[in-house]
Amino acid sequence: ARSLPPAHRMTSFTSFLALATSTAAVVTPLRSVSPLRPAPCAALRSSHPRMKDWSRRATLAEKAGGAGDLGASAVGLTGSIPVEFTQGNETLRTMATVGQPLSAVAAQAGQFIKYKCRKGECGTCAVRVDGQWIRTCSVTVPHLPDGEAYQVFVRPTMVKGKKSSRFFSVRSFFDGFKNNILGMVGFVKEGPLSRKGRENFNQRISAEQELLERAKARKAAREAAKAAGLSLEDYEERLRAELARGEATTKAARK
């Protein structure tokens, strides 16, 4: 290229620019439609994250209608005896058959009943029917005339217990803080630095020293019995006899 005159050099450079421009025009559309580089998702570019909806969801009975609106058979309830569970101001209704366990009927209606022994002995699941308290775990639905409902009254205090707080929840944080405070108070009142703790420590040391002295005395008695050619039991019996004679002599001297 150095051997060419200036005019030819300018012509060659202009041709090179034209070729590069045409090549770029062809390559650019190919890149825009390449499947290897998909367009970024619009949701990822959004600066507003979606929050989970914690509102109460409607039940199937609220959406499509329950037994009171469509009838018991329409919602899959079988039985000829209507059963009503009343607790405070709320009433749950369902259908049952004669001889069906009342506990199963309560579970079918969604009525919470607290159980313990499930043998009819403790009375934890007692409910009131016709003015009498009966055990839910051991009672079945009786036969009733047509059109009459089996009414069950549940104690208002029979409610589900609170579930344990979730990890890292606000309630678990305050529960942990409360437990730590109680632990520190207990440590101060009954720990090793408290008066009661020192008393317990001194009692334990005294008991250990007494046990050590007994062990030493036992060892010394065993060695003395061996030196006297007696068994340990005979040696102890002789010591007790000598002790008794000594006490008798002391009493006689006092008289």
Side-chain angles (χ1 to χ4, degrees), residues 46-213:
S46 177
S47 59
H48 302 285
R50 294 183 58 186
M51 301 298 293
K52 186 174 181 178
D53 185 12
W54 293 99
S55 60
R56 178 182 175 275
R57 297 181 180 181
T59 62
L60 181 61
E62 294 173 348
K63 292 180 179 179
D69 302 327
L70 306 176
S73 59
V75 295
L77 294 178
T78 59
S80 58
I81 301 178
V83 181
E84 298 179 355
F85 292 92
T86 302
Q87 186 178 23
N89 298 327
E90 297 183 358
T91 301
L92 300 176
R93 298 177 176 86
T94 186
M95 300 295 294
T97 58
V98 178
Q100 187 175 0
L102 185 59
S103 58
V105 179
Q108 173 181 296
Q111 174 63 51
F112 172 76
I113 302 293
K114 187 176 181 179
Y115 301 96
K116 192 173 183 181
C117 69
R118 291 188 177 272
K119 298 179 181 179
E121 298 176 356
C122 64
T124 304
C125 61
V127 294
R128 184 164 54 87
V129 177
D130 293 335
Q132 297 181 356
W133 291 97
I134 61 174
R135 314 293 170 87
T136 307
C137 62
S138 59
V139 174
T140 58
V141 178
H143 175 74
L144 295 177
D146 295 340
E148 185 175 348
Y150 190 65
Q151 297 181 348
V152 181
F153 294 91
V154 184
R155 294 190 302 253
T157 57
M158 190 178 292
V159 294
K160 291 184 179 180
K162 294 183 179 180
K163 297 182 178 179
S164 59
S165 57
R166 296 177 300 171
F167 195 63
F168 287 136
S169 64
V170 177
R171 181 181 174 186
S172 66
F173 174 79
F174 285 105
D175 289 344
F177 182 76
K178 176 182 177 182
N179 293 335
N180 291 336
I181 294 296
L182 294 177
M184 289 187 289
V185 172
F187 180 80
V188 172
K189 293 179 62 177
E190 301 183 4
L193 301 180
S194 63
R195 179 179 179 181
K196 186 175 181 181
R198 290 194 297 269
E199 292 178 355
N200 294 335
F201 178 76
N202 294 332
Q203 291 178 1
R204 188 182 67 180
I205 294 299
S206 300
E208 291 180 356
Q209 290 179 353
E210 183 180 357
L211 182 61
L212 183 60
E213 291 176 358

